[in-house]
Amino acid sequence: MNTFIHDLRDAVRSLRKAPAFSAIAIATLALGIGANAAMFSIVRGVLLRPLPYRDTNRLVTGRIFVPDYRDLRESSRTLDRMAIWVSNLCNLTVVLSHRLWRSRFASEAAVIGKTIELSGKLYTVIGVMPPGFEFPRSDFDPCAR
């Protein structure tokens, strides 16, 4: 116990001699501990805590489009409840992707300036993205079914 107290006094003396170093060391420790606590909270909340549903081993997931979901919800006799989470909503208001321009408009240059209908609304095409531009990711296709 005596050596611990002696070592503690030496440490405090050293830290007093270099206050800038002490402040940086304490700030670094605080940031590290805070980041560690935040990451643990996220992992615990997302991965370790069970889902707030009963019989989570009976959950069914899949890729489905909103019109198909409505049909399935109305006709299903085997599923207790259904819900949908939509993550691929995007706004195609002006500029076409190069892939969409090739596949749906046959690479027709005259499409620029024309009015097209998307989800019941009319939009004017003002341009086509270059071939390498992919948003939100390369495998995304808003017209896939």
Side-chain angles (χ1 to χ4, degrees), residues 115-129:
T115 303
I116 61 173
E117 184 177 343
L118 297 170
S119 301
K121 294 183 181 179
L122 296 176
Y123 297 93
T124 302
V125 178
I126 63 165
V128 177
M129 295 305 297

Side-chain angles (χ1 to χ4, degrees), residues 21-34:
F21 172 77
S22 301
I24 291 172
I26 291 169
T28 302
L29 284 171
L31 284 172
I33 291 169

Side-chain angles (χ1 to χ4, degrees), residues 11 15 22 33 55 73 81 93 100 131 137:
L15 291 175
S22 301
I33 291 169
D55 300 328
R73 184 182 62 201
R81 293 182 207 117
T93 57
L100 181 66
R137 56 185 199 263

